[in-house]
C-alpha cells in the first residue's frame, strides 16, 4: 500500500482553503475519513499553522520569489509557505524541512518547481534574521492579519487592537463544559487528575474547565456517556445569560452544531420545550449527535429562520437565542482560516442578514420574553450598532443591562475580547419585549 504523505495532504488542504472552497475544520474532517492512516494531528499543525501566520509567510515568500507564481500554480505557492512555516515556526530540522518540502514537487507533478522551491527555502534559511526584521515594516506581515481586519480592529478598539491581534495568533486552550447531572465541576476535575490530565476551573461559567494541554476527546472520562462536552467558556455563558426557566418554550434560532442548545438544556436537566433551528441539514446532524450523546431532547428543524411561516406554529416563545451568522473575528485563534476566508465586503451582507433575523424573530417572542443576541465577532457594526439600530425601530424592545468584570464596555450589551482570561471573542445583548 502506498505510503501517505502528510505534507502532501497539508499542501492540498491549504490549496483548497486558499481557493476559498471551504473551511479547514470541514476539510480535515473529510481527510480523516478518506485517509484513516494519515497523521491528522500533524496535518492540523501544518495547515492551522500556515493559516495562522499566512500574511507573514506570504510576505517572506514574495520577498524571495523573483516574480509571482501563476494562479494555476497556487499549490506550489502553498508548498513554499509550508516550507517557510517549518523553518520559522516549527522545530523541524532545517535540512528536513527543506528536503521534504522540495521532494513534494514531484508528488504535485510540478518537477519544474523543484529548483525554485529549493532556492527560496535555502535563501530563507540564510537570510532568516534579515527577513524577520523586514516584517516590522509591513503591518499585515507584522501582525499576520489581512489589512481590513487590522483597520477594523484599530477603529473599534483603538486601545486594545494590538493585543487582540496578538491573542488571535495564540492557539486557544481546550475548554470543556461539565454536565452537572452527572456530578459537580470539582468532581470532574478530580476525574481528570486521576486520568493524568491537568485542568483548572473557568472564571465566568460555572460549568467550564480549561485544560492545560489539549487531548483527544475519547480520552476524556465519561465523554461517550455525555458527562462532558467541548465548548469555549464564553460560548457556555449563553445558558447563564438567557437562563430559561424549567418548562419554558425556547428557540435556538441558528443552532448548529448544538453546543448552546445543549448547554441550555443541561442547565435545567433537560426540562425545556426546545426547538433547535438551522438552515443547514448537514450541520443539524451534529446537533442531533450531540443531543443523543448527552441524552437530551429537542425538536430539530431545518429551515431559514427568517422565513417564519415555514417553521413557526404561531405559539410564542418564552426565550429566543439568536446566535447570529457573523464575521467570526472573535474566534480567529481557533479558526485561523478566517483570515483567508473572510473579506471586508462580507460585513455589509452579514449586517443585513443579522437585522433580518432580529426583525423576523421578534414577533415569535412572547410579551415579557427575552431574546439573547450573540455573535463570535468583535466588530461593533455586527454587535452593539446592530442591536442599537434594531431597538430604535422596534417600539416594544428594550435592552436589559448585562455586564461582567472580564467583559469590555459597550453602549449596549457586553463584549468578551479574544484571549482575555482564555476566552474567545463573544458579544452578548439581552433584549426584553414589553
Amino acid at each position: 500500500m502506498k505510503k501517505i504523505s502528510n505534507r502532501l495532504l497539508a499542501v492540498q488542504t491549504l490549496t483548497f482553503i486558499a481557493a476559498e472552497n471551504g473551511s479547514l475544520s470541514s476539510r480535515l474532517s473529510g481527510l480523516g475519513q478518506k485517509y484513516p492512516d494519515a497523521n491528522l494531528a500533524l496535518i492540523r499543525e501544518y495547515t492551522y499553522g500556515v493559516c495562522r501566520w499566512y500574511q507573514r509567510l506570504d510576505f517572506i515568500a514574495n520577498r524571495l520569489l523573483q516574480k509571482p507564481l501563476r494562479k494555476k500554480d497556487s499549490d506550489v505557492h502553498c508548498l513554499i509557505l509550508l516550507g517557510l512555516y517549518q523553518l520559522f515556526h516549527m522545530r523541524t530540522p532545517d535540512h528536513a524541512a527543506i528536503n521534504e518540502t522540495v521532494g513534494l514537487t514531484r508528488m504535485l507533478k510540478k518537477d519544474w518547481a523543484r529548483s525554485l522551491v529549493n532556492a527560496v527555502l535555502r535563501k530563507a534559511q540564510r537570510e532568516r534574521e534579515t527577513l524577520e526584521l523586514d516584517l516590522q515594516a509591513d503591518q499585515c506581515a507584522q501582525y499576520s492579519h489581512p489589512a481590513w481586519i487590522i483597520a477594523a480592529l484599530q477603529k473599534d478598539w483603538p486601545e486594545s487592537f494590538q493585543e487582540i491581534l496578538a491573542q488571535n495568533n495564540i492557539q486557544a486552550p481546550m475548554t470543556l463544559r461539565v454536565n452537572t447531572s452527572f456530578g459537580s465541576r470539582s468532581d470532574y476535575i478530580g476525574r481528570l487528575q486521576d486520568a493524568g490530565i491537568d485542568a483548572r476551573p473557568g472564571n465566568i461559567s460555572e460549568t467550564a474547565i480549561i485544560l492545560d494541554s489539549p487531548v483527544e476527546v475519547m480520552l476524556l472520562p465519561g465523554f461517550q456517556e455525555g458527562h462532558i462536552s467541548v465548548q469555549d467558556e464564553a460560548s457556555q455563558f449563553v445558558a447563564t445569560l438567557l437562563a430559561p426557566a424549567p418548562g419554558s418554550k425556547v428557540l435556538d434560532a441558528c443552532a448548529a452544531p448544538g453546543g448552546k442548545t445543549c448547554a441550555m438544556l443541561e442547565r435545567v436537566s433537560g426540562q425545556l420545550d426546545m426547538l433547535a433551528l438551522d438552515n443547514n441539514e448537514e450541520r443539524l446532524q451534529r446537533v442531533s449527535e450531540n443531543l443523543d450523546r448527552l441524552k437530551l431532547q429537542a425538536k430539530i428543524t431545518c429551515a431559514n429562520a427568517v422565513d417564519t411561516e415555514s417553521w413557526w406554529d404561531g405559539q410564542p416563545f418564552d426565550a429566543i437565542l439568536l446566535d447570529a451568522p457573523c464575521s467570526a473575528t472573535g474566534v480567529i485563534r481557533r479558526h485561523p482560516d478566517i483570515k483567508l476566508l473572510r473579506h471586508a465586503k462580507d460585513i455589509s451582507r452579514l449586517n443585513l442578514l443579522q437585522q433580518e433575523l432580529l426583525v423576523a424573530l421578534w414577533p415569535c417572542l412572547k410579551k415579557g420574553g427575552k431574546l439573547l443576541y450573540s455573535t463570535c465577532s468583535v466588530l461593533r457594526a455586527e454587535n452593539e450598532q446592530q442591536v442599537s439600530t434594531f431597538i430604535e425601530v422596534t417600539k416594544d424592545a428594550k435592552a436589559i443591562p448585562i455586564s461582567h468584570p472580564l467583559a469590555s464596555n459597550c453602549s449596549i450589551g457586553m463584549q468578551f475580547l479574544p484571549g482575555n482570561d482564555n476566552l474567545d471573542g463573544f458579544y452578548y445583548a439581552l433584549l426584553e419585549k414589553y
Side-chain angles (χ1 to χ4, degrees), residues 45-58:
E45 166 65 25
Y46 287 149
T47 55
Y48 273 70
V50 170
C51 288
R52 182 169 289 115
W53 299 107
Y54 186 89
Q55 285 73 25
R56 182 171 292 192
L57 299 171
D58 190 53

Side-chain angles (χ1 to χ4, degrees), residues 18 23 36 43 64 117 164 176 188 203 224 306 326 329 345 381 423:
S23 69
I43 296 171
L64 298 175
V117 173
I164 296 172
L176 310 179
Y188 193 80
N203 288 326
Q224 281 288 74
V306 172
C326 68
T329 46
K345 63 183 180 181
L423 301 171

Side-chain angles (χ1 to χ4, degrees), residues 204-205 207 231-244 250-252 259-264 267 274 320-323 372-375 414 416 426-428 430:
I204 70 166
S205 172
T207 56
Q231 186 180 23
D232 182 76
E233 187 175 5
S235 179
Q236 294 180 38
F237 204 45
V238 161
T240 302
L241 288 171
L242 191 56
V250 182
L251 167 67
D252 188 350
K260 298 179 182 68
T261 301
C262 294
M264 288 187 286
R267 191 175 186 274
M274 172 73 75
I320 295 175
L321 169 62
L322 172 54
D323 187 34
L372 181 64
Y373 176 86
S374 72
T375 74
M414 64 181 187
F416 291 113
F426 263 86
Y427 172 80
Y428 291 115
L430 187 60

Side-chain angles (χ1 to χ4, degrees), residues 190-223:
R191 294 173 65 186
L192 288 173
Q193 291 172 343
D194 291 341
I197 301 172
D198 294 327
R200 65 173 178 83
N203 288 326
I204 70 166
S205 172
E206 59 190 15
T207 56
I209 296 175
I210 301 171
L211 302 187
D212 287 359
S213 300
V215 301
E216 290 293 328
V217 292
M218 299 308 295
L219 297 178
L220 296 171
F223 177 80

Side-chain angles (χ1 to χ4, degrees), residues 84-308:
L84 292 172
Y85 175 67
Q86 294 171 80
L87 287 174
F88 284 81
H89 295 280
M90 292 185 72
R91 296 179 180 178
T92 309
D94 286 2
H95 67 88
I98 294 172
N99 293 338
E100 292 294 332
T101 303
V102 170
L104 288 179
T105 55
R106 177 165 295 178
M107 292 187 180
L108 291 174
K109 299 181 179 179
K110 298 283 180 76
D111 285 352
W112 62 264
R114 184 180 182 87
S115 59
L116 172 68
V117 173
N118 184 63
V120 168
L121 296 183
R122 292 196 180 280
K123 190 173 183 180
Q125 180 190 28
R126 292 193 305 270
E127 301 179 6
R128 190 189 317 244
E129 292 184 6
T130 300
L131 289 167
E132 288 179 339
L133 286 174
D134 289 346
L135 294 172
Q136 307 307 312
D138 184 279
Q139 197 176 48
C140 293
Q142 179 186 356
Y143 295 120
S144 197
H145 278 71
W148 78 269
I149 291 182
I150 297 173
L153 292 177
Q154 190 167 10
K155 174 178 174 290
D156 286 354
W157 304 99
E159 296 180 0
S160 52
F161 82 96
Q162 291 173 309
E163 178 62 19
I164 296 172
L165 292 168
Q167 289 294 332
N168 283 349
N169 290 332
I170 298 174
Q171 185 174 341
M174 186 172 181
T175 306
L176 310 179
R177 185 189 75 243
V178 175
N179 185 346
T180 54
S181 298
F182 295 97
S184 69
R185 175 168 65 177
S186 60
D187 289 340
Y188 193 80
I189 291 176
R191 294 173 65 186
L192 288 173
Q193 291 172 343
D194 291 341
I197 301 172
D198 294 327
R200 65 173 178 83
N203 288 326
I204 70 166
S205 172
E206 59 190 15
T207 56
I209 296 175
I210 301 171
L211 302 187
D212 287 359
S213 300
V215 301
E216 290 293 328
V217 292
M218 299 308 295
L219 297 178
L220 296 171
F223 177 80
Q224 281 288 74
E225 295 75 24
H227 299 184
I228 199 75
S229 298
V230 179
Q231 186 180 23
D232 182 76
E233 187 175 5
S235 179
Q236 294 180 38
F237 204 45
V238 161
T240 302
L241 288 171
L242 191 56
S248 57
K249 185 178 174 69
V250 182
L251 167 67
D252 188 350
C254 301
K260 298 179 182 68
T261 301
C262 294
M264 288 187 286
L265 285 164
E266 285 179 356
R267 191 175 186 274
V268 291
S269 302
Q271 299 178 48
L272 294 175
D273 180 6
M274 172 73 75
L275 171 60
L277 184 72
D278 204 275
N279 65 355
N280 187 312
E281 189 74 53
E282 184 176 346
R283 296 187 76 226
L284 274 175
Q285 182 60 35
R286 292 277 309 281
V287 180
S288 179
E289 291 168 359
N290 283 323
L291 288 167
D292 289 346
R293 184 179 63 83
L294 296 166
K295 300 173 180 62
L296 298 169
Q297 292 186 341
K299 181 181 178 182
I300 299 176
T301 299
C302 185
N304 184 344
V306 172
D307 183 18
T308 56

Side-chain angles (χ1 to χ4, degrees), residues 7-22 24 27 47 50-51 54 70-82 108 110 340-341:
R7 285 183 173 89
L8 178 62
L9 292 177
V11 170
Q12 291 171 341
T13 298
L14 290 167
T15 306
F16 176 88
I17 299 302
E20 300 183 23
N21 289 322
L24 262 180
R27 179 71 174 183
T47 55
V50 170
C51 288
Y54 186 89
R70 296 169 296 182
K71 186 175 182 180
K72 70 176 184 177
D73 296 319
S74 60
D75 53 352
V76 176
H77 186 74
C78 289
L79 177 60
I80 290 172
L81 298 186
L82 177 59
L108 291 174
K110 298 283 180 76
L340 284 71
L341 300 177

